[in-house]
Amino acid sequence: MLYGADYNPDQWPEDVWDDDVRLMQEAGVNIVSLGIFAWSRIQPTEDAWDFAWLDAVIDKLHAGGIAVNLATATASPPPWVSKTYPETLPANESGASYWPGSRQHFAPSSPIYRRLAGELVRRLAERYVHHPAVVMWHVGNEFGCHLWMDFSDAARDAYRGWLENRYATVEALNQAWGTSFWSQRYGSFDEIFPPRLAPYSHNPSSMLDWRRFTSDMLLECYLMEREILLEAGATQPITTNFMGPFKPADYRKWAPFMDVIADDCYPDPANPNRVRDAAFQRDLARSLKPGAPWLLWEQATDAVNWRPANPGKRPGALVAETAQSIARGADGIMFFQWRQSRAGSEKFHSAMLPHAGTETRTWDAVTELGARLAALPELPTPGRDAQVALVFDWENWWAVEERDHPTEVDYLALVLEWYGAFHARGIQVDIVGPEEVDHAYDLVVAPALYLLRDEGASALARFVDDGGTLLTGPFTDIVDAHDQFRAGGFLTQLGPLLGLRFEDFGVLAGLSSGGSGVGALSADAVQAARDAASRGTVTFELDGVEQSGRLVAETVHAAGATVVAAFSSGPQAGAPALTRHRFGSGEAWYTATQPVSNGASAGGPSADALDAVVAAVVAASGVRPVVADLPAGVEAARRGDLVTLINHGDARVEIALDGTDAETGVAVERVVLDPQGVAFVSAPAATSDPATPRARATASATHS
Ligand code: GAL
């Protein structure tokens, strides 16, 4: 288990370096990410290079038994770069420059930035690639974190090349973007601009490509550096740090080029859903590269500095949050940062070694955590072990949140709601792209899969045909990979599976207090419309209980499907609200509204509509929780034989579980957890066949 932090010794006088190594040893640190923002120290002018200090630090760490994840230091170009090469600066959508003075002030597509960054990486690689302390390479840092999009001239030129490469002919692009609309037909690629500030909505198909391009430019920067490291003979794993579900970068496309997935996660202590959201992020990190380890690359020991208010963690929360990562597959636990900064924007950010020193609650927590991690047994690298997969797709995210739709959809919020219902029930979930859905799973949930690629549609159909259970719902299967309607209406791909014919969206909204009219909507009118949409609800009756839906009450017609629940209010009263349909050996379910969730937290189902729908598909698909009957607030996850139990609630709880305490080796029959308490229990999974419909279908296919 790796344990450590970002280490920025260049921010400190040399006389603390020995202390740093000594205290790292005391805390159980075995690796640091070194020099992430050290470019200006390494290359103070274009022609001057200073590696002496870095040599000294690396040697000290090595002598102290601390491994180095060496940064390529390209995330913050030195002042001389911006002065000499202003064309490396990125621009906003009005074309105004982002200026130096912070960090990440580079245009990812700038050839000059890439040349300068590449030279830095080459020099670092040539010098340190064979150093025994260097066990990993950290490329850039959180690509795109602050700069979500760059509209500079460098981006314009690269975009034109990217489009030409994608479409070959401008006529193919015109088709893909539907440019007959609003006189947008292009005569050549050099007539195309980034979607800079325009009077009204940009072409949505172009926006989708723009987002693909943006993600690809960041990825190209990573790949350029990776290539240089490999050419220099690097044999260590190469990676960069992800930020969980980060909209600008399609990490599923990036993952094949990461030797390990590294993820940064900063749960907001003030967010009531922080446990659910962090669990999702960790499941995503694991699912991006099954069979490869993932590392929690940055978290905070206590408060951060970058929210409007920055409360510290509750006592015990550091261990509880860390345990959640280990439970969900992490092989390393790292922090931003080792020693708290004395100057700069992040001087109030917590660190492993606080400004107040070692006689602090933080230092106690950090050393305790180091000791507990060291005591853990070797843990297996998880593969695709969950019974349930939740589909989460970046291209769909970009497309479904484009403007000018029947109603606004917050895709991530919706996905998290569905995730939350499983999390609350202690059911383990993988997070996958539609094309990754296969018979490894018993149940697949695919919310708001508005953009459905042909390959994704085939994978879902194959999955159901093979005996799987699929649940999907509103705003699914509306457009193709170019954000265009397919011929023949909606649900053109999944309709046969679902046994449904789709007629209308039935957007729900309460009365709006704002003005309307033509032309640009005022900010007040936009807000009023959003408020009205959030008040719109519908009811449906499931198993004799009245439940609520929001967002839409779609008109769908059963074409073979069985109606499980019907709307009990509104214009669609009596029409299908929840359906199921046999298809091949499996079954496909559809909700025609978004069931309202009360935001259940870990530890037992809540009495909400979303949970009621999840309960129905869980029962139908034979999916089982990691541990049954969890008390409220308790989270459970399985990793091989290791069951991790975490009490996020405020009361002491007791859970029946047969196994061995993985830290002490003592046999247990029940686990008692104080608030924020964590237990790691070795408890092999029951081997009895769960006899899920999919397992039965597979068995009968094998026998016949
Ligand atoms: C991350 C970043 C670190 C540091 C940290 C503070 O986004 O990678 O360099 O800024 O946030 O929480």
Side-chain angles (χ1 to χ4, degrees):
M1 186 68 66
L2 301 180
Y3 190 52
D6 285 14
Y7 182 37
N8 299 303
D10 44 321
Q11 294 180 10
W12 289 87
E14 279 186 46
D15 56 17
V16 304
W17 295 352
D18 287 324
D19 260 6
D20 279 339
V21 174
R22 182 179 55 79
L23 290 169
M24 284 175 191
Q25 290 167 335
E26 197 176 311
V29 165
N30 53 26
I31 185 168
V32 292
S33 303
L34 182 62
I36 294 179
F37 294 102
W39 190 348
S40 70
R41 179 74 185 261
I42 296 170
Q43 192 185 8
T45 68
E46 188 160 5
D47 304 314
W49 297 87
D50 177 6
F51 291 103
W53 68 278
L54 196 52
D55 291 350
V57 173
I58 296 180
D59 289 344
K60 275 183 200 295
L61 290 165
H62 187 50
I66 291 158
V68 171
N69 165 44
L70 190 58
T72 59
T74 52
S76 190
W80 62 260
V81 172
S82 314
K83 175 169 177 271
T84 318
Y85 303 105
E87 60 274 48
T88 60
L89 294 172
N92 70 13
E93 58 171 0
S94 303
S97 221
Y98 290 99
W99 296 99
S102 178
R103 62 175 174 185
Q104 228 174 71
H105 46 282
F106 62 87
S109 28
S110 157
I112 299 176
Y113 166 75
R114 290 189 186 185
R115 174 173 64 73
L116 297 170
E119 179 62 11
L120 171 64
V121 180
R122 195 178 56 75
R123 298 242 184 178
L124 279 163
E126 283 170 356
R127 191 169 189 96
Y128 298 112
V129 81
H130 299 302
H131 196 296
V134 177
V135 299
M136 207 176 300
W137 290 95
H138 180 99
V139 173
N141 192 61
E142 291 191 340
F143 279 97
C145 160
H146 307 296
L147 196 90
W148 286 32
M149 283 179 182
D150 166 37
F151 298 83
S152 66
D153 287 351
R156 176 201 59 201
D157 296 346
Y159 188 40
R160 290 172 180 170
W162 184 93
L163 288 168
E164 190 158 4
N165 190 37
R166 180 173 175 83
Y167 291 108
T169 67
V170 79
E171 191 39 41
L173 174 139
N174 281 319
Q175 288 299 323
W177 287 9
T179 53
S180 299
F181 184 77
W182 282 354
S183 178
Q184 292 169 352
R185 176 167 291 276
Y186 294 101
S188 64
F189 284 101
D190 63 11
E191 291 172 1
I192 299 170
F193 285 87
R196 293 176 178 162
L197 193 64
Y200 188 44
S201 313
H202 274 285
N203 177 318
S205 304
S206 78
M207 288 305 292
L208 181 57
D209 272 339
W210 171 250
R211 289 211 172 255
R212 290 180 175 124
F213 162 80
T214 298
S215 175
D216 279 3
M217 283 308 101
L218 297 169
L219 177 57
E220 275 189 8
C221 287
Y222 169 82
L223 289 175
M224 173 203 70
E225 296 194 24
R226 180 182 161 88
E227 208 41 53
I228 294 170
L229 293 170
L230 292 174
E231 273 167 18
T235 52
Q236 302 91 338
I238 302 171
T239 191
T240 187
N241 39 354
F242 287 175
M243 293 161 278
F246 176 64
K247 190 172 173 185
D250 180 351
Y251 287 153
R252 199 163 285 116
K253 197 169 170 191
W254 290 47
F257 308 106
M258 305 293 140
D259 295 321
V260 290
I261 300 293
D263 191 60
D264 297 353
C265 185
Y266 291 91
D268 180 355
N271 172 6
N273 290 317
R274 67 187 176 283
V275 171
R276 175 199 74 177
D277 295 359
F280 173 83
Q281 180 164 344
R282 306 188 201 291
D283 284 346
L284 175 64
R286 181 192 63 243
S287 305
L288 281 172
K289 195 147 193 171
W294 76 270
L295 308 165
L296 176 60
W297 217 224
E298 280 182 28
Q299 65 172 344
T301 56
D302 201 6
V304 301
N305 64 291
W306 40 265
R307 295 191 175 103
N310 297 296
K313 292 189 199 288
R314 302 165 67 186
L318 180 58
V319 173
E321 288 174 8
T322 301
Q324 189 186 49
S325 302
I326 296 166
R328 296 177 186 277
D331 275 353
I333 302 298
M334 310 273 288
F335 295 96
F336 175 84
Q337 59 176 331
W338 162 250
R339 183 188 275 274
Q340 187 168 358
S341 298
R342 259 171 72 188
S345 303
E346 293 180 331
K347 62 183 176 297
F348 285 105
H349 197 292
S350 59
M352 291 183 91
L353 180 58
H355 188 56
T358 52
E359 280 174 33
T360 49
R361 196 187 74 167
T362 301
W363 182 254
D364 291 346
V366 157
T367 45
E368 181 206 323
L369 185 59
R372 281 189 82 171
L373 294 180
L376 281 177
E378 181 117 347
L379 298 171
T381 302
R384 296 214 183 281
D385 303 328
Q387 279 185 285
V388 180
L390 180 61
V391 174
F392 175 67
D393 182 69
W394 268 265
E395 290 196 347
N396 177 57
W397 193 358
W398 300 333
V400 76
E401 291 188 357
E402 241 334 292
R403 49 189 289 182
D404 309 323
H405 283 182
T407 189
E408 290 181 354
V409 172
D410 182 337
Y411 178 57
L412 180 59
L414 212 69
V415 165
L416 285 168
E417 275 183 28
W418 285 105
Y419 176 84
F422 290 91
H423 182 254
R425 290 173 161 266
I427 295 173
Q428 202 131 323
V429 175
D430 284 345
I431 316 296
V432 303
E435 290 79 8
E436 292 174 299
V437 166
D438 67 16
H439 58 269
Y441 301 109
D442 292 296
L443 173 62
V444 169
V445 184
L449 201 51
Y450 161 88
L451 181 153
L452 181 59
R453 293 175 294 271
D454 295 351
E455 305 75 28
S458 317
L460 293 176
R462 223 170 18 248
F463 166 72
V464 178
D465 196 26
D466 283 355
T469 303
L470 172 71
L471 170 67
T472 185
F475 283 118
T476 295
D477 187 6
I478 308 292
V479 298
D480 66 12
H482 298 302
D483 199 2
Q484 294 200 20
F485 294 157
R486 289 186 172 92
F490 306 113
L491 286 183
T492 56
Q493 310 299 293
L494 303 184
L497 236 70
L498 294 161
L500 290 180
R501 186 171 61 77
F502 181 97
E503 186 184 331
D504 187 43
F505 296 101
V507 169
L508 295 168
L511 283 181
S512 168
S513 55
S516 56
V518 286
L521 290 178
S522 68
D524 284 353
V526 170
Q527 192 50 50
R530 284 195 180 122
D531 292 346
S534 72
R535 283 193 300 272
T537 55
V538 69
T539 54
F540 59 97
E541 204 174 300
L542 178 58
D543 292 334
V545 180
E546 177 145 294
Q547 305 284 5
S548 308
R550 62 179 188 88
L551 218 54
V552 289
E554 294 175 341
T555 306
V556 292
H557 301 280
T562 305
V563 178
V564 180
F567 286 116
S568 48
S569 62
Q572 275 81 309
L578 177 67
T579 62
R580 62 194 288 185
H581 180 238
R582 297 291 312 168
F583 179 85
S585 315
E587 201 171 39
W589 293 62
Y590 192 81
T591 59
T593 182
Q594 176 60 27
V596 170
S597 161
N598 300 327
S601 58
S606 69
D608 64 14
L610 191 112
D611 184 68
V613 171
V614 165
V617 289
V618 161
S621 57
V623 165
R624 296 191 303 192
V626 173
V627 174
D629 305 323
L630 282 176
V634 175
E635 175 174 16
R638 171 177 289 285
R639 176 172 179 185
D641 286 350
L642 187 82
V643 172
T644 305
L645 294 166
I646 311 170
N647 181 10
H648 298 286
D650 293 322
R652 167 181 269 230
V653 294
E654 211 179 294
I655 303 131
L657 181 64
D658 277 327
T660 314
D661 184 311
E663 289 169 285
T664 62
V666 174
V668 294
E669 286 175 353
R670 61 190 191 101
V671 173
V672 180
L673 292 176
D674 286 328
Q676 306 297 312
V678 171
F680 296 109
V681 180
S682 177
T687 45
S688 67
D689 178 8
T692 62
R694 205 209 25 87
R696 284 198 299 272
T698 313
S700 71
T702 320
H703 294 150
S704 58

